[in-house]
Every structure is written in structure tokens, then in C-alpha cells.
Amino acid sequence: LMALPSVSRPHTVECNSDGETRTLRKLDWATAGHCFGELSCSEWTGVPMSSLLDLVGVKKGAKWFYASAADEYNQTWAIPLWKGMDDAIVAYGQNGEPLRIEQGFPLRMLLPGFQGTMNIKRVRRIKITNELTLFHRMYADTRADGKITWFRMEMPPQSCILSPSGGHQLTRRGFQEIRGIAWSGGGKITKVEVTVDGGKTWKEAQIQGPVHSKAHTRFTFPWTWDGQEVIIASRCTDEKGSSQPLTPEAAKMRGMNVETFKTSVVQRNNIPQPWKIDPDGRVTNAIFSV
């Protein structure tokens, strides 16, 4: 594989339970790391899956492929063939060095934007098929009309203000540069908005380049703090036009009232992550306030 033409691209890997509010994200002392502890962004190096498919040939009628691992722990997943022909990578490098053992040495299936558990480590076999087989979990979403959507693999747009954020302490009033990151399994981030009044108004932040597809994108927002208690948050939009729903919108999308939503297990929960700044400058988690 290392003798074939390679690519190196930055991409996130994120579990579909990242940001789940039944865990640390609901606690007022939670930091950004606690709220999004199942997320990372690395530069991955390897052979495009499309190149391998071209080399071996794909018969007419093929719709899925599945990757299996060299150990029982890493389950086998069925993956839509279009993903393999798009941006999937059979990766052997991460951040300029060979994959580490815990990251899937010697080979890992990297599916940019898809839920983390599908990025199979220690890949030993890839098989192309015309039917759905060996699917680990369906990860269904129930809609407000009661219907169930299967095969939700793509991670939604999400963002987080990192400075100031939970656990920080502002030491002065006046100018503050709000800084954070945004990302989406749907492609590039095209817009980030910030609120400094608890969601009453939103203003566009400055996106910092380069902007990569399905990778962390930095943003900044100039703000003057007057020393009063305030709630700040960010929300983003990706190139597909998908954006982060506010808490009432997210609850309605799933056919719940807000109180039920707050206590439910919601996969791919991408509501904004707000932070409350007290008059003394202490920053704490303010989940569900926006």
C-alpha cells in the first residue's frame, strides 16, 4: 500500500455519542474537554479507497463494502459503496508518523465525517457486496412524526467556544476575543455565529483559514464584556446548509418537549454549547440555556 500514490488530509473522528447530555456535559463545572471528550482531529495519510476499488475492479450492482478487523473487539461494519468511492482512506499514518497501536496499526479505515465507530482499526479484509450484511448497529433516529430513519452515519455540524469556556476565569472587563472551533461531517464550515446575550441575537464570527472539509475550523469574535452576567454560545452552518438547532428546535425535531429532551438519550446531539460568565468572571457550563 505504501508504494501506491497517497493522500494526506486533516479530518475529525467523532463518536456519535459525543456531546451527549446525560453524561458530563450536563454538569455546571464541565469544561469543553468534558463536553466533547469523544472528538479529535488529525492529519491522516494513506491510500484513497477509491484507488483500491479501481485497482481490483467493482462489478455492476455492488452497493456496499465491509471492513473487518484483525481482532474481535473492533467489529465489522457495512459501509455504503459511494463512501468508498468518495473520500474514504485506508490509512497507515497519522500526524506524520505511522499509526500507533492504539490508533489501529498497521491499517485503519478512515471514513471522514462518519461516526467514529465505523473507522475500523487493524483492518485485515475489505469485501465488496451487493447486499447489506454484518451491520453492527443501525443507529436509528425517531422523527417528530413517529417515523424512524435508519443508517444515520454522518455526524452533524457542531461548534464550541474554547475561550472563554468552562473552568476559565476572566480577570478583567473590556475587550475579549472569543475563540473556538466548528466542524461537520457534512463538509466545510461556511458560517459561524456567536451570541453574547443568551441567544437573543446572533452575529457572524470570523472564520480563520484554511478551511478543510470535515475537519476543525477555527473562528474568532471580538467582544467587550461590561462585567455583567452573560451567556455566550456559538452555532455553525456547513456547506450542505445544515446548521445547529437551538434546544427547543432540537426537542421538536425529535417529537419531545424540552424537559423530556433534557433527560433523554439523544445520539448526534448538536445543540449549541453555552457558557455562563458570572459578574466575578467565573465561567461555567450553561447547557440548555440556548
Side-chain angles (χ1 to χ4, degrees), residues 57-65 80-82 128-131:
V58 178
K59 294 180 180 179
K60 184 179 180 180
K63 295 181 180 179
W64 298 83
F65 72 93
L81 186 63
W82 67 260
I128 303 166
T129 177
N130 63 347
E131 59 184 359

Side-chain angles (χ1 to χ4, degrees), residues 27-30 165-168 273-278 281-287:
L27 303 175
D28 62 357
W29 50 262
S165 61
H168 288 183
Q273 173 58 51
W275 306 110
K276 183 176 76 169
I277 303 175
D278 294 335
R282 188 171 70 104
V283 186
T284 54
N285 183 15
I287 191 65

Side-chain angles (χ1 to χ4, degrees), residues 15-287:
C15 182
N16 70 344
S17 61
D18 193 45
E20 175 54 58
T21 53
R22 62 178 169 150
T23 55
L24 293 174
R25 194 180 180 190
K26 67 182 179 182
L27 303 175
D28 62 357
W29 50 262
T31 66
H34 291 127
C35 296
F36 300 102
E38 297 177 297
L39 165 73
S40 66
C41 188
S42 301
E43 183 181 70
W44 301 92
T45 299
V47 179
M49 181 66 185
S50 59
S51 298
L52 299 182
L53 293 173
D54 288 339
L55 284 172
V56 301
V58 178
K59 294 180 180 179
K60 184 179 180 180
K63 295 181 180 179
W64 298 83
F65 72 93
Y66 63 83
S68 57
D71 53 45
E72 295 180 356
Y73 176 78
N74 235 223
Q75 67 276 350
T76 298
W77 267 96
I79 303 161
L81 186 63
W82 67 260
K83 185 64 173 176
M85 300 298 289
D86 184 27
D87 58 1
I89 301 173
V90 180
Y92 49 75
Q94 181 184 14
N95 293 334
E97 64 181 22
L99 284 177
R100 299 183 183 187
I101 297 294
E102 61 272 26
Q103 290 298 329
F105 179 87
L107 295 172
R108 178 174 187 162
M109 179 62 64
L110 198 284
L111 303 172
F114 274 25
Q115 55 201 16
T117 187
M118 298 181 72
N119 293 257
I120 300 296
K121 299 176 181 178
R122 294 170 285 279
V123 172
R124 64 173 179 177
R125 179 184 299 133
I126 298 171
K127 186 170 182 178
I128 303 166
T129 177
N130 63 347
E131 59 184 359
L132 181 61
T133 58
L134 297 172
F135 210 90
H136 175 57
R137 275 183 274 179
M138 304 297 273
Y139 289 120
D141 275 349
T142 302
R143 305 188 315 190
D145 59 8
K147 294 183 179 180
I148 296 176
T149 301
W150 299 106
F151 308 126
R152 294 298 302 276
M153 304 170 183
E154 185 178 288
M155 296 301 293
Q158 182 61 280
S159 66
C160 181
I161 292 174
L162 300 180
S163 178
S165 61
H168 288 183
Q169 176 75 46
L170 297 185
T171 58
R172 56 178 173 79
R173 299 182 183 184
F175 176 77
Q176 312 284 334
E177 184 177 61
I178 293 176
R179 301 189 299 274
I181 55 174
W183 64 97
S184 175
K188 293 182 178 181
I189 296 297
T190 57
K191 183 170 71 172
V192 179
E193 298 171 285
V194 169
T195 179
V196 292
D197 55 13
K200 296 177 182 177
T201 61
W202 295 84
K203 296 182 180 180
E204 194 162 343
Q206 176 67 45
I207 292 177
Q208 295 184 329
V211 178
H212 296 284
S213 181
K214 304 167 189 175
H216 283 168
T217 299
R218 295 181 181 274
F219 66 87
T220 60
F221 183 81
W223 171 55
T224 300
W225 181 48
D226 61 6
Q228 301 296 310
E229 180 178 302
V230 66
I231 290 178
I232 64 174
S234 62
R235 66 181 182 186
C236 68
T237 302
D238 66 23
E239 61 183 324
K240 288 184 175 180
S242 299
S243 58
Q244 294 179 250
L246 304 185
T247 300
E249 297 169 343
K252 184 178 180 180
M253 288 166 53
R254 292 170 171 81
M256 306 176 187
N257 60 47
V258 173
E259 292 307 312
T260 301
F261 177 80
K262 290 179 180 180
T263 58
S264 298
V265 177
V266 179
Q267 303 287 358
R268 288 175 293 278
N269 184 8
N270 67 325
I271 59 174
Q273 173 58 51
W275 306 110
K276 183 176 76 169
I277 303 175
D278 294 335
D280 63 1
R282 188 171 70 104
V283 186
T284 54
N285 183 15
I287 191 65

